[in-house]
Amino acid sequence: MATETEAYLGKTDYKVIGTRPIRHDGADKVTGRAIYGADVTLSGLLHGKVLRSPHGHARIISIDTSKAAAHPGVKSVITVDDFEMPEDKIRELGEGAANLRHLRSNVLADGKTLYHGHAVAAIAAVDANTAEEALDLIEIEYEVLEAVLDTRRAMEDGAPLVDENQTTQSLGEKTDKKSNVSTHFQHKLGDSAKAFESADIIVEREFDTATVHQGYIEPHNGTAHWKSDGHVTVWCSTQGSFPVREQVSQLLMLPVSKVKVIPTEIGGGFGGKIRVYLEPLAAMLSKKTGHPVKMVMSRTEVIQATGPTAGSHIRCKMGVTKEGKLVAAEAYMAYESGGFPGGWAAPGSMCIFAPYDIENVTIDGFEVLVNKPQTMAYRAPGATNAAFASETVIDEICEKLEMDPIAFRLQNAAKEGTRRADGPVFPRIGNVETLKDAQSSDHYKSKKGKHVGRGVASGFWFNVGLKSSASASVNTDGTVSLVEGSTDIGGSRTSIAMQLAEVLGIPAESVNPSVVDTDSVGYTDVTGGSRTTFATGWAAYEAANDIKAQMSGRAAKIWEISEDDVQFDDGVFASKSDPEKKLTFKELAGKLDDTGGPIVGRAAVEPQGVGGAFATMIVDVEVDTDTGKVEILRATLSQDAGKAIHPSYVEGQMQGGVAQGIGWALNEEYFYNERGELANSSLLDYRMPTALDLPMIEARIVEVPNPGHPYGVRGVGEVPIVPPPAAVANAIYDAIGVRLQILPMSPAKVLAALWSKDGKGKA
Amino acid sequence: MVEGREGKGIVRMPVVWIPSLMRSLTGNQGQIEVDGDTLRQVVENLEVKHPGIRNRVIEDDRIRPGLAVSVNGEVTNEGLRTRIAATDEVHFVAAIGGGS
């Protein structure tokens, strides 16, 4: 790892960094040759299916699998009883954590089903249709219980308890009271109550956001082969092969050395493909049958039983002087954690007021059990809900002050040295720069059309570092084979290879990156938290430096000079004392056989120096006041990438995040009936935006280098989803004069708000 | 004259930021200077000054599940063995994803 003085090279004359080479995996993906989880096939393969609870909340009285087991095509039936009870401990998964007992009870229900679609039993059969058919032969007697589906109801005294043993923890202090609130925490900076007394304007509003799914296009899948030697191989679509190995080994009571995870290509994850669902079931069915077993979810199963991310109830209060200085802020943030504890109020609380320098802040956060699937990360988990609240309040303050919304944000912007409400002091950040970029954009300076509303919102995500490994072999033709453990969701093979290529002075195309299994590379955490280009890129940078040092030694050997006499610049090794002695990287690579054999560079890193990311969005909308439909006319995002290694992929992340944020803003929500049954578990009824719903999203990359990374990289994959719902809400207000404080802002809700304003009905 | 970690006359110690929900144990103090070269030593010394803190922070000789410790804004992955410098700020925060 680079020392502090080596970190951030501060260069601008890069040869590879900042260019746009064609992605290494592009041809395989566009021609259909890339192997996804559903493509995996093995000799003697069986197919598994899962029986799921039809109830929102129910106690399992009995399970009779005998008829299913007797079906001639069925090879095995399993329930939770086939899994030993693991230790009551928590395992970090990179983006989130899992209590192993809860993980076991989630992959197969233990005594109670906690949400509609909760897995109860699994079958392996000769083919998928037989397995599906045999599910009907499993007889289960349920006692249906009252379901609790939102945080407000779940937090009431007397609400049905999702887990009868759950009590509330407040930073290590346990209470005895049974509650759906698993966690309460508080951040306190200064004295917000007192500071509000000095405010000339105070705005306090309440916000509700719906449960939404990450919407990855590829369903979850898992294939496992428990071999006769006791070793298990797992193929799956995941954001982290090592966290899958950890979870599977813990649930199967195996040492990690006996579990090999082979990550297939991944068709989207966004935070939802970190926890295991099918993998341990396929492994157990394989153990029982002696055959490999493959399991693939249907779309309905994906929506019913994986992800989603948290719905929330947030109360946000901010106070400002008449000169426009924010003096105090308070937030009450209750987030759904689903059927099991853990969730996203904590990261949401770290982000809600982060774009602003406010000296007096109090934030109370609550993680609340409800009868929905256990919530998972979704790009900047928790921050989008939070920004919807705070950025809408900011917009209302700007209106009352009659101030330009970007000028107000600039006046109050957090910058280097500002202390966040949760404690940390910001290092160099690009908040001001993104605001100024948005302010100077053609979009912001353009005149609005008639009936068009314009909204602005900012957002923050802190990003993470975690652990990454890489190794790289020099080939005699001057190319380098790069081996890494980060599954490639958004072009990270290329962004990581480019960082290696920059060090070695070779083209990105001369690096052949491979994402390999858990036996073939050092431990690497999830592709998540906007960490991969930052941390795995850093590992590649270090592996390249290792290669450079070894090759300098070979050059010294060839020229019979001291290694200190060898310099390396722009892909050429040369003698400092005799400039005639020169070898390009490629020429020297061709001489490895004669000078000591192969060269492999390697690195394992756990870097500090993570740089947080800010983004500001401008959006124009038109609202059909007869139907309530909101049309997005123009959208622009200014985002600080630190240094954009591959600008096309940074732009892709920005556009993807904004598109998903607009879906969250306008359309997407889980519809449960009062019994907790999900009514819209298909993509026809769970309405994600398509290309027809969106304009071209202008991605404006701002580069304020992160001083904590050799190339100045900040993560880019998460913050673009943070501003859109608030920006759209502010634009709707600008268009039709009603403030929506509920997501999604669907046509029905827009109409209801309009009618309420006009006195035609109740919102 | 006091012998401190940076020589005579200067006493610089790590500053522990106490979460508001733990301030009942510290007489409502929000920041406390505590000596210690490791996080373990810092917590033990804090316990001497303010009994009860250790049990809120440590369980089974490790940082309690659901809790994370950040040093100068970076969440530490080295647990109680984390090296602490005299100029460091230590924060106890809710772990992301919790999973308690």
Side-chain angles (χ1 to χ4, degrees):
Chain A
M1 188 174 304
T3 65
E4 190 176 341
T5 52
E6 290 168 332
Y8 181 49
L9 303 174
K11 287 176 64 177
T12 54
D13 56 339
Y14 296 116
K15 295 289 192 306
V16 181
I17 303 296
T19 63
R20 301 175 187 245
I22 293 171
R23 62 191 298 163
H24 299 80
D25 52 333
D28 278 354
K29 285 184 173 164
V30 299
T31 57
R33 286 197 301 267
I35 300 297
Y36 290 82
D39 299 323
V40 173
T41 188
L42 298 162
S43 177
L45 188 67
L46 300 177
H47 296 264
K49 287 288 177 185
V50 174
L51 182 65
R52 298 181 181 277
S53 171
H55 305 296
H57 191 193
R59 198 175 310 284
I60 299 171
I61 306 299
S62 65
I63 303 178
D64 183 351
T65 61
S66 57
K67 288 180 184 169
H71 188 291
V74 170
K75 300 299 180 184
S76 181
V77 185
I78 59 171
T79 67
V80 73
D81 293 337
D82 290 288
F83 291 85
E84 290 180 47
M85 182 67 80
E87 284 183 76
D88 186 14
K89 63 181 180 183
I90 289 175
R91 288 284 169 177
E92 291 296 330
L93 302 179
E95 195 164 41
N99 176 299
L100 296 173
R101 289 188 174 176
H102 296 156
L103 192 63
R104 172 180 176 268
S105 300
N106 195 32
V107 297
L108 284 171
D110 187 9
K112 278 176 75 176
T113 61
L114 303 180
Y115 53 90
H116 182 199
H118 196 161
V120 179
I123 283 177
V126 291
D127 57 55
N129 288 338
T130 302
E132 185 95 43
E133 182 182 285
L135 293 178
D136 292 339
L137 300 175
I138 298 174
E139 295 174 351
I140 303 178
E141 184 183 354
Y142 292 102
E143 175 195 354
V144 177
L145 305 171
E146 184 183 347
V148 59
L149 296 163
D150 71 84
T151 57
R152 293 198 225 203
R153 170 69 179 128
M155 294 173 81
E156 289 174 0
D157 284 339
L161 292 173
V162 176
D163 178 348
E164 289 82 357
N165 297 314
Q166 185 67 51
T167 57
T168 305
Q169 277 206 40
S170 290
L171 287 184
E173 185 176 44
K174 286 184 177 175
T175 64
D176 293 330
K177 186 183 175 187
K178 306 300 184 197
S179 171
N180 287 317
V181 179
S182 64
T183 306
H184 168 222
F185 60 85
Q186 186 181 70
H187 303 304
K188 201 168 177 59
L189 189 66
D191 186 341
S192 58
K194 191 174 175 187
F196 273 116
E197 294 172 8
S198 66
D200 296 307
I201 297 170
I202 296 173
V203 175
E204 182 174 15
R205 298 285 178 260
E206 292 192 48
F207 300 85
D208 290 281
T209 72
T211 310
V212 295
H213 198 271
Q214 295 82 350
Y216 29 83
I217 205 69
E218 181 207 21
H220 289 261
N221 53 73
T223 300
H225 190 192
W226 193 306
K227 294 180 283 190
S228 54
D229 61 2
H231 287 251
V232 180
T233 303
V234 177
W235 295 258
C236 60
S237 172
T238 178
Q239 290 178 239
S241 51
F242 284 90
V244 168
R245 183 180 74 167
E246 178 72 16
Q247 294 173 81
V248 169
S249 70
Q250 291 285 342
L251 290 179
L252 300 177
M253 303 289 179
L254 286 171
V256 290
S257 58
K258 290 198 171 183
V259 179
K260 177 165 84 173
V261 177
I262 302 175
T264 55
E265 295 295 345
I266 176 169
F270 312 112
K273 285 186 180 164
I274 298 172
R275 219 171 273 262
V276 294
Y277 299 96
L278 297 177
E279 297 89 337
L281 307 185
M284 184 56 74
L285 289 166
S286 178
K287 181 183 183 184
K288 285 179 163 284
T289 61
H291 288 264
V293 176
K294 176 176 173 178
M295 305 180 81
V296 181
M297 284 193 192
S298 66
R299 180 70 58 197
T300 293
E301 288 179 292
V302 170
I303 296 177
Q304 279 185 349
T306 72
T309 207
S312 58
H313 173 66
I314 299 174
R315 194 164 58 239
C316 180
K317 178 180 178 184
M318 301 178 87
V320 63
T321 65
K322 59 181 183 300
E323 291 80 22
K325 178 175 171 49
L326 281 166
V327 292
E330 292 179 354
Y332 166 101
M333 309 173 73
Y335 280 47
E336 299 169 352
S337 47
F340 298 95
W344 312 105
S349 73
M350 295 160 68
C351 300
I352 184 165
F353 300 124
Y356 304 101
D357 184 358
I358 314 173
E359 291 179 0
N360 303 284
V361 180
T362 304
I363 302 169
D364 279 285
F366 303 87
E367 310 284 9
V368 186
L369 294 173
V370 293
N371 289 116
K372 296 181 182 178
Q374 182 168 27
T375 54
M376 284 299 301
Y378 180 19
R379 285 191 197 259
T384 304
N385 319 42
F388 176 57
S390 57
E391 292 296 297
T392 306
V393 168
I394 289 282
D395 196 66
E396 193 169 340
I397 286 173
C398 292
E399 182 197 10
K400 290 180 189 302
L401 287 168
E402 298 182 351
M403 276 189 76
D404 172 86
I406 294 184
F408 176 84
R409 285 173 170 84
L410 278 167
Q411 184 172 315
N412 290 280
K415 49 183 82 70
E416 185 173 1
T418 300
R419 186 177 291 283
R420 251 175 30 210
D422 54 307
V425 175
F426 277 123
R428 183 75 174 96
I429 50 175
N431 188 25
V432 168
E433 287 79 358
T434 57
L435 285 162
K436 285 184 174 173
D437 183 76
Q439 193 177 42
S440 68
S441 66
D442 289 341
H443 186 172
Y444 201 62
K445 290 190 285 192
S446 68
K447 193 176 176 187
K448 287 185 298 177
K450 202 175 177 184
H451 306 306
V452 172
R454 177 168 296 167
V456 171
S458 292
F460 167 73
W461 181 252
F462 44 85
N463 299 330
V464 301
L466 305 177
K467 306 174 190 72
S468 285
S469 306
S471 64
S473 310
V474 180
N475 300 314
T476 52
D477 62 0
T479 62
V480 177
S481 297
L482 171 64
V483 170
E484 52 168 301
S486 291
T487 51
D488 183 354
I489 307 182
S492 59
R493 276 185 183 89
T494 306
S495 69
I496 292 162
M498 290 170 73
Q499 295 181 66
L500 180 132
E502 183 70 44
V503 175
L504 298 178
I506 59 177
E509 293 80 1
S510 291
V511 183
N512 180 27
S514 299
V515 178
V516 297
D517 65 72
T518 51
D519 282 353
S520 305
V521 67
Y523 183 90
T524 300
D525 270 309
V526 296
T527 298
S530 298
R531 64 170 290 279
T532 305
T533 297
F534 171 83
T536 308
W538 197 324
Y541 167 84
E542 292 297 336
N545 278 320
D546 190 8
I547 287 174
K548 194 169 77 176
Q550 293 183 58
M551 290 187 72
S552 292
R554 298 300 176 88
K557 187 181 278 187
I558 291 168
W559 295 325
E560 298 182 6
I561 60 175
S562 158
E563 282 187 39
D564 293 340
D565 194 19
V566 178
Q567 63 182 6
F568 180 73
D569 186 38
D570 200 15
V572 178
F573 293 90
S575 166
K576 295 177 192 170
S577 57
D578 182 359
E580 295 299 310
K581 289 177 174 157
K582 285 183 181 175
L583 285 170
T584 66
F585 181 89
K586 185 175 182 179
E587 288 168 343
L588 184 54
K591 297 179 184 298
L592 296 186
D593 284 350
D594 306 331
T595 56
I599 284 181
V600 178
R602 60 196 171 94
V605 302
E606 188 176 9
Q608 300 287 293
V610 175
F614 288 85
T616 296
M617 181 177 177
I618 309 160
V619 65
D620 289 359
V621 305
E622 191 168 40
V623 183
D624 185 328
T625 53
D626 290 329
T627 65
K629 184 177 186 298
V630 176
E631 186 168 1
I632 306 291
L633 301 177
R634 188 173 182 183
T636 301
L637 188 77
S638 295
Q639 179 180 326
D640 177 20
K643 179 65 191 171
I645 299 294
H646 192 305
S648 297
Y649 299 153
V650 173
E651 290 158 1
Q653 290 291 332
M654 292 167 70
Q655 290 166 330
V658 168
Q660 289 182 306
I662 289 172
W664 196 338
L666 295 179
N667 301 105
E668 298 179 35
E669 66 180 310
Y670 273 40
F671 281 101
Y672 284 97
N673 65 21
E674 71 281 1
R675 296 183 300 279
E677 297 157 0
L678 185 62
N680 62 331
S681 55
S682 81
L683 292 187
L684 281 176
D685 298 319
Y686 183 88
R687 177 76 167 81
M688 294 195 295
T690 69
L692 297 175
D693 298 304
L694 298 168
M696 184 65 188
I697 295 159
E698 184 183 351
R700 295 171 64 91
I701 299 173
V702 177
E703 293 187 324
V704 178
N706 169 21
H709 185 273
Y711 293 124
V713 169
R714 301 176 193 271
V716 297
E718 297 188 284
V719 74
I721 202 172
V722 180
V728 172
N730 295 338
I732 292 172
Y733 175 76
D734 190 42
I736 59 172
V738 293
R739 289 203 179 273
L740 281 101
Q741 288 155 211
I742 186 167
L743 295 184
M745 296 173 285
S746 56
K749 292 187 184 116
V750 171
L751 277 185
L754 264 175
W755 291 341
S756 178
K757 176 194 167 204
D758 296 341
K760 293 179 183 172
K762 192 177 177 184
Chain B
M1 190 68 72
V2 182
E3 183 75 27
R5 290 173 67 185
E6 295 190 356
K8 282 185 179 176
I10 304 168
V11 179
R12 293 203 65 172
M13 289 190 282
V15 177
V16 180
W17 284 59
I18 307 298
S20 47
L21 295 176
M22 290 186 191
R23 289 180 196 167
S24 60
L25 298 169
T26 64
N28 212 31
Q29 287 185 75
Q31 292 100 47
I32 300 176
E33 289 191 345
V34 193
D35 201 5
D37 293 326
T38 65
L39 182 60
R40 183 191 305 281
Q41 289 174 10
V42 167
V43 173
E44 292 298 339
N45 290 335
L46 199 56
E47 173 71 13
V48 172
K49 288 184 176 181
H50 302 287
I53 285 270
R54 180 174 49 203
N55 285 342
R56 295 283 292 276
V57 176
I58 297 175
E59 182 181 279
D60 296 334
D61 201 36
R62 54 182 296 189
I63 295 167
R64 183 180 280 279
L67 200 65
V69 176
S70 81
V71 179
N72 299 330
E74 299 259 11
V75 172
T76 175
N77 294 317
E78 296 177 358
L80 296 171
R81 291 183 293 276
T82 303
R83 301 293 299 179
I84 305 293
T87 53
D88 284 347
E89 272 190 20
V90 178
H91 293 260
F92 300 112
V93 296
I96 295 169
S100 59

